[in-house]
Amino acid sequence: MNGVGARRLTRDAVQIGGTVLAGLAAALLADAGGLPLPWLLAPLLTVGAMSLAGAPTAAVPFGRRVGQAVIGTAIGLYLNPGVVEEMLALLPVMMAVAGLSIAISIAIAALAAARAGFGLATAYFACMPGGVAEMAGLGRQYGADEATVAILQSLRIAVVVTVMAPAVALLAEHGRGGAAAGLPDVHWPELVVLLSAAGLLSALLERFSVPNAWMLGGLASGAATAALALPLSGMPGVLVSAGQLLVGCALGTRFKPDLMRGGARLAATGLLIMAGLLLGGIVLGLAAAALTGMAPAVLLLATAPGGITEMSITAKVVGLPVATVVAFHLVRIVTVVLASAPLYRLLMRIRPAGDRRLHRGGPDAPHR
């Protein structure tokens, strides 16, 4: 290795180490202070603030993937056959919520395109409650400004986690229906095999471009272990906390100074979009709670327009039924990924010709 390569490697290691240490310190302080979701929220907000201020932050290579796989495996262990049967009974409600979430997103996208100067493609894919990478990639194919889509999608997850975690913690009754109930003790040989299987399955899903591959790979491995009554091991709390730390730090590094240089209009429009999506999710959650008789705190998390990883972590930490939250988000993610592109093509056909030129004329102008 030449001198330039060695210096670059040293610089990267210092940035990664500094980012993780800052996130860890924030998590420990938040945990000591009794703040909600300390191992996810505190690193996210701290590293995000550092990144916006121009500090040289960097995520652990593959850290978010590893964190998602660990968290997914821990959650999958709750999905025994009885729980899955209960979730299937709620499938019509889940599908209705997914469809209405998409409708709300389209309405907000139309307003953003009409009032805030976004191109239609950029507004549409920025508002869709899917994965950051998936929506940015799809948006690029249809002429959206990929950077703006990625920024607003990342902002959506950060805002939803920051707002919903404390709100749901206040509504929830700790200790009832807790996520840790009924899980076995930690057995390291079985746990190593389980996490290895989760990693292999996640890598396979990623190779086939499955959205949220590492979360879903861990989830499937844990659920299969529970469903088939294989030798079980609980997940050590320290590993779950470490997974949250890795995910939180990775999310925080996305907030680069480019977001601030995008101007007040971009930030204000982004926050208005997030407010609309949040309000829509709250309305859907309360309506679903009234329809099903389930606890509002559970369904507010289940219908929130956040990421499956972050919302399921919140449910686990607060002590709400994790399986319900996971199932609602899985149905929504699959629906969004499958339907967003066909719906956009349909929207382009029914929009006036003046709007359709955005699709034919190349990428939307970056919103700066």
Side-chain angles (χ1 to χ4, degrees), residues 72-280:
T73 303
I75 291 168
L77 292 173
Y78 301 110
L79 301 182
N80 58 54
V83 171
V84 172
E85 186 176 348
E86 292 177 14
M87 293 304 99
L88 288 176
L90 288 171
L91 186 58
V93 178
M94 295 177 194
M95 295 182 68
V97 166
L100 290 171
S101 297
I102 292 175
I104 291 170
S105 299
I106 291 174
I108 294 172
L111 287 174
R115 304 295 182 188
F118 283 112
L120 180 59
T122 299
Y124 178 90
F125 288 102
C127 291
M128 277 291 135
V132 176
E134 290 77 28
M135 292 301 102
L138 277 174
R140 182 182 65 250
Q141 295 176 30
Y142 289 93
D145 174 23
E146 185 177 7
T148 299
V149 173
I151 287 171
L152 292 177
Q153 285 283 347
S154 298
L155 184 63
R156 169 179 63 84
I157 293 175
V159 169
V160 171
V161 173
T162 304
V163 172
M164 292 303 296
V168 170
L170 290 175
L171 287 174
E173 294 181 11
H174 291 273
R176 296 185 60 186
L183 287 185
D185 295 331
V186 176
H187 301 288
W188 286 101
E190 289 88 345
L191 182 61
V192 170
V193 172
L194 178 58
L195 289 176
S196 298
L200 290 172
L201 178 57
S202 299
L204 181 63
L205 293 177
E206 185 177 53
R207 185 173 180 82
F208 286 95
S209 301
V210 174
N212 293 284
W214 289 81
M215 176 70 182
L216 295 182
L219 188 70
S221 297
T225 301
L228 298 174
L230 298 175
L232 283 174
S233 170
M235 185 69 67
V238 65
L239 284 186
V240 177
S241 296
Q244 294 177 58
L245 174 66
L246 291 172
V247 171
C249 288
L251 287 173
T253 58
R254 291 177 174 174
F255 293 90
K256 298 299 185 184
D258 289 345
L259 178 59
M260 303 302 292
R261 290 196 292 268
R265 192 179 184 189
L266 173 61
T269 302
L271 289 175
L272 286 174
I273 288 173
M274 299 314 116
L277 293 174
L278 260 176
L279 181 60

Side-chain angles (χ1 to χ4, degrees), residues 4 66 143 184 193 333:
V4 174
V66 172
V193 172
I333 288 169

